[in-house]
Amino acid sequence: MSLDFDVFVVDPKPIPSAIPAFEQAAGPATWPPSTSTLISDDDGALLVDCLITEQEGRQLAAWVKSRDADPGYVYITHPHADHFLGLPQILAAFPRARPVALAESIPAMEEQVSAAYMEVWGGFFPGQLTSEPVAPAALAGTTIPIGSSEAIVIPVGTTDTGHSSVVHVPGLSLVVSGDVVYNQTHMWLMQSTPDTRASWVHALDAVAALEADTIIAGHRNPQAPDDVARRQVSECRRYIADFEAALERSTAPGELIDQMTTAYPDLANPYTLWVAAYDLLGPKT
């Protein structure tokens, strides 16, 4: 087996809606479809991100085993718990695996697994999350071995959260992007500002500069046509620009939602758009 990769994809998951009008207009609220990526060489493997619920963690571990892989590392791309609360199930299946992340992201990840934050996450996924969450340790340096090959970790700053990073595997012309790139899925712009949106565009520029052929997005529409890097980066740039323009033209959440839905009728997880619209333009309490 030479250097290769494979992707584990989970469909959108139902969550309680914080916007009563959403379910009447668009159906059940959902968490966006998510991915975990396995990169393997003849004598090593790396798992990038590991989902959120206990069931997903167990299913992911079984899937990795079915690929005859034994990850030496589990890399977490950014401090959002939906990308790493599945760690306990992965570590139970692969006790030699080392969970790591950017050193500067660790405090935010530790906050994500605090009692207060776990209560918040538990509100989205009641009875589905680990009671013993694990935060990764700091990665020493910027490379991760994959057998005789390696992956390069590239910090890109703020996207939908601070301390975001991507994993570049030059030998595969591959980028595993976490939340830096979304594939045919509404982008998480709740609590965004002009500065954070501009930072996200700069992060997309950094990904484009890698000139990879393939990007595996952390949130990927199961109906997306492909994982072509250039298309995804271009679409994400356009989405942020269109959101910015629609936001300037809008005075109420419905106006922003209508404009973006007209421009992007087929993207996965419209609830993400509604949450952003109500956060940025809804009544302030």
Side-chain angles (χ1 to χ4, degrees), residues 179-195:
D179 281 7
V180 180
V181 178
Y182 281 55
N183 191 350
Q184 294 276 294
T185 301
H186 283 283
M187 299 171 76
W188 185 263
L189 289 163
M190 180 180 176
Q191 297 182 340
S192 66
T193 67
D195 285 345

Side-chain angles (χ1 to χ4, degrees), residues 19-110:
I19 305 170
F22 178 82
E23 294 186 339
Q24 287 73 34
T30 55
W31 198 260
S34 303
T35 69
S36 181
T37 301
L38 178 69
I39 307 162
S40 304
D41 203 343
D42 291 323
D43 52 356
L46 163 66
L47 186 64
V48 183
D49 291 339
C50 53
L51 309 174
I52 183 167
T53 69
E54 288 186 300
Q55 180 180 12
E56 288 174 350
R58 287 191 293 268
Q59 291 172 338
L60 176 61
W63 175 84
V64 172
K65 284 191 173 183
S66 75
R67 267 69 182 162
D68 295 323
D70 187 4
Y73 289 85
V74 181
Y75 182 75
I76 308 302
T77 54
H78 64 285
H80 274 165
D82 61 317
H83 291 254
F84 71 93
L85 282 184
L87 259 177
Q89 285 68 48
I90 300 302
L91 297 179
F94 303 102
R96 294 187 300 171
R98 297 173 56 188
V100 293
L102 287 177
E104 57 265 36
S105 73
I106 300 301
M109 292 183 180
E110 291 174 341

Side-chain angles (χ1 to χ4, degrees), residues 77-79 102 104 154-166 180 199-200 203:
T77 54
H78 64 285
L102 287 177
E104 57 265 36
I154 300 173
V156 294
T158 296
T159 58
D160 63 359
T161 189
H163 308 302
S164 296
S165 66
V166 302
V180 180
S199 176
W200 200 338

Side-chain angles (χ1 to χ4, degrees), residues 122-253:
F124 287 110
F125 304 103
Q128 300 174 64
L129 303 183
T130 180
S131 60
E132 298 181 346
V134 176
L139 175 67
T142 58
T143 61
I144 303 174
I146 311 170
S148 58
S149 303
E150 69 176 16
I152 303 167
V153 172
I154 300 173
V156 294
T158 296
T159 58
D160 63 359
T161 189
H163 308 302
S164 296
S165 66
V166 302
V167 177
H168 183 210
V169 187
L172 292 170
S173 194
L174 170 72
V175 168
V176 184
S177 74
D179 281 7
V180 180
V181 178
Y182 281 55
N183 191 350
Q184 294 276 294
T185 301
H186 283 283
M187 299 171 76
W188 185 263
L189 289 163
M190 180 180 176
Q191 297 182 340
S192 66
T193 67
D195 285 345
T196 65
R197 293 189 290 270
S199 176
W200 200 338
V201 172
H202 289 316
L204 291 168
D205 292 343
V207 172
L210 298 173
E211 297 185 336
D213 294 327
T214 302
I215 291 175
I216 303 302
H219 297 294
R220 174 192 194 229
N221 188 339
Q223 306 305 315
D226 53 51
D227 295 303
V228 172
R230 184 170 297 185
R231 174 188 63 77
Q232 292 181 74
V233 170
S234 175
E235 289 177 356
C236 288
R237 284 175 173 147
R238 186 167 67 250
Y239 187 96
I240 294 172
D242 288 346
F243 185 93
E244 194 96 47
L247 182 60
E248 289 183 6
R249 294 190 296 263
S250 302
T251 59

